[in-house]
Amino acid sequence: MSQAGTAAPPHGGDLPADADVVVVGAGITGASLAHHLARRGVSVVVVEQAPQPGAGATGSSGGMVRAYDADPVMAELALPSLATYRDPGCWASGRAPLHAVGAVTAAHPDQEPALLAAAGQINGALHTSAHVVAGRDEVAGIRLAGGVALVEPEAGWVAPAEVTADWLVQARADGAVVCHGVRVRAVEARGGRPVVVTDAGVVRAGAVVAAVGPWAADPVPGLRPAAPVRSRSIQVSFVERRPPAPAHATFVDLRTGLYAKPVGPDRTLIGMPHLVWDAPLDAPPDPAHAQATVSALTAHFPWLTTAVHLGTVRAADAYGSPEGGGQASGLLETTGVPRVWSVRGWNGGGVKTAPEAGRRLADAYVADAFADVA
C-alpha cells in the first residue's frame, strides 16, 4: 500500500496513472468510502461522470436518517451512521449535518414488541430517548392511522449532496484525487492488476470499487456485479405546508411504504413506492403516481387535501440481493475482474447507512492489503 498522496497532488486535479484504489462514482457511498480510505493512508482516485458530486440517486434522495430498520443488517449499519451524522467532529464544516426534527416509524400493532426491543437497543447504544407510542391518534404532527410507532426524537434528515461534498473535501485534504466529468469506459485486468480505462486516461489500480447506484444495473464492461442489480424508480413530490398544518417529524410507514419529511419551515417532501423496474434513468415524472401519493398520505397528513403542489422529482435507485456476494459482511459484490468489486444495491437506504458502510469497506480493504504484504 503506497503512502497517502504519492499518486497525485493533495487537492486533486489531473487523472493520475496509479492508485491504490479507484472509486467509480461520487455519490454518498462512494464519497464515504473515499474519505475513510484516504484517512487510513490509502491513495485514492474518485472518478465521477457528472460535473458535480451527488448528481445521481444521491441528489434525489429524501435523506431521511434514523437508527431503526426492520432489516437487522441495515439496522446494524444505520445505528452507528446516525451517531456520525450527529457528531460535529466528523465533518469538515465543523457542524453536524443532521436536522434533528425526529423520526416516526409506523407499523402494524403486532410489531409493538419488536419496536420496543429496538428502542431499547438504540437508547443503550446512542443514549437517546427512542420510545414506542401505541393507542394514540397522532404523534409529532403525524396521524398513525391505527398503527403503533417507534419515535426517535434525535433522528431526522440530512442533505445528501452536502454530506457527499463534505466527505470529498476531507478526502482531498488527506491526499485523494477527485475527478468530475470523467466517464469510465471499461475496467480490465492487465498484468494482474485492474486498469480503469476512462475518456481522460488510464489508471492502474490495486483495487477498484464501483459505487454507481442504479447504473450498476447496466454497467460498463468489467463492473458488472455477480449478483443481479436492478434499477427501480423513485418519485417524490414537494408540497407547501401552510398554517394551521403542524410541523412534523420524518415519517415512514412500514405497512405501506409511505414516507414524508419536512423541508424547511413551510415545505414537505412526500413519497410512496413507485414500482417501476428497469425504467430509463431519465424517465419523466409520473403525474398519476404523484396524485396517488397525495391521496394515500392524507390519512397521516389531512392538510394535504388543500396543500399546493410545488413539483415532482423522479430518479432511480439500485436494488440487489440483501445477502451480497463479496466480503465486508456482504457490502460488496464480486465482478468478473479480479480485485474489482461493486457496492451492493442499497434498496433505497444508501444515505441512512453510508457513514458506517464506508468505514467498514475501508477497514476491509486495509486489512486485506496488509494481509497481502504479510
Side-chain angles (χ1 to χ4, degrees):
M1 185 169 63
S2 62
Q3 296 297 312
T6 58
H11 298 294
D14 295 334
L15 194 69
D18 291 275
D20 289 334
V21 179
V22 174
V23 178
V24 182
I28 195 164
T29 301
S32 177
L33 173 58
H35 158 57
H36 286 289
L37 284 171
R39 185 59 50 92
R40 287 156 176 75
V42 180
S43 69
V44 184
V45 175
V46 181
V47 182
E48 168 58 51
Q49 65 180 355
Q52 70 280 335
T58 292
S60 300
S61 170
M64 296 187 295
V65 295
R66 62 191 189 280
Y68 176 72
D69 195 282
D71 179 345
V73 174
M74 294 288 282
E76 185 178 331
L77 298 170
L79 192 150
S81 291
L82 178 59
T84 299
Y85 284 132
R86 295 173 62 199
D87 184 355
C90 293
W91 305 95
S93 66
R95 60 176 180 81
L98 178 68
H99 298 260
V101 298
V104 173
T105 303
H108 190 276
D110 65 10
Q111 293 301 304
E112 184 175 356
L115 296 182
L116 286 168
Q121 292 172 352
I122 292 167
N123 293 335
L126 301 182
H127 307 290
T128 53
S129 57
H131 57 279
V132 175
V133 171
R136 284 177 52 180
D137 291 334
E138 183 174 319
V139 63
I142 302 160
R143 294 195 178 179
L144 298 182
V148 299
L150 173 62
V151 182
E152 298 180 55
E154 293 82 9
W157 62 277
V158 299
E162 292 180 10
V163 169
T164 300
D166 191 295
W167 274 328
L168 292 177
V169 166
Q170 294 187 68
R172 284 191 174 103
D174 288 326
V177 177
V178 182
C179 298
H180 297 296
V182 175
R183 185 179 295 273
V184 174
R185 300 297 182 182
V187 178
E188 305 168 353
R190 297 182 188 174
R193 294 180 61 184
V195 172
V196 181
V197 181
T198 80
D199 55 11
V202 174
V203 186
R204 285 168 49 85
V208 177
V209 179
V212 295
W215 283 270
D218 186 23
V220 301
L223 292 184
R224 183 172 299 282
V229 173
R230 299 181 70 185
S231 65
R232 199 181 89 178
S233 177
I234 295 175
Q235 180 169 288
V236 299
S237 293
F238 296 87
V239 296
E240 188 175 22
R241 189 175 68 253
R242 295 177 176 176
H248 62 86
T250 64
F251 170 67
V252 175
D253 192 334
L254 300 182
R255 298 166 295 180
T256 60
L258 294 167
Y259 56 95
K261 79 161 190 178
V263 184
D266 60 357
R267 290 191 300 161
T268 290
L269 174 151
I270 59 174
M272 73 175 185
H274 194 211
L275 302 179
V276 179
W277 295 92
D278 309 320
L281 300 182
D282 58 353
D286 178 352
H289 181 267
Q291 293 174 1
T293 301
V294 171
S295 297
L297 275 162
T298 298
H300 303 287
F301 302 97
W303 52 267
L304 281 174
T305 56
T306 57
V308 176
H309 180 268
L310 301 176
T312 298
V313 176
R314 183 172 176 181
D317 208 346
Y319 282 72
S321 165
E323 292 78 18
Q327 56 181 350
S329 302
L331 298 180
L332 296 176
E333 296 281 358
T334 58
T335 69
V337 180
R339 298 196 65 79
V340 176
W341 295 278
S342 177
V343 175
R344 60 162 283 181
W346 288 113
N347 301 359
V351 173
K352 186 169 65 175
T353 58
E356 182 67 5
R359 185 191 69 79
R360 292 192 184 190
L361 288 170
D363 285 347
Y365 171 78
V366 171
D368 182 56
F370 282 137
D372 287 347
V373 172

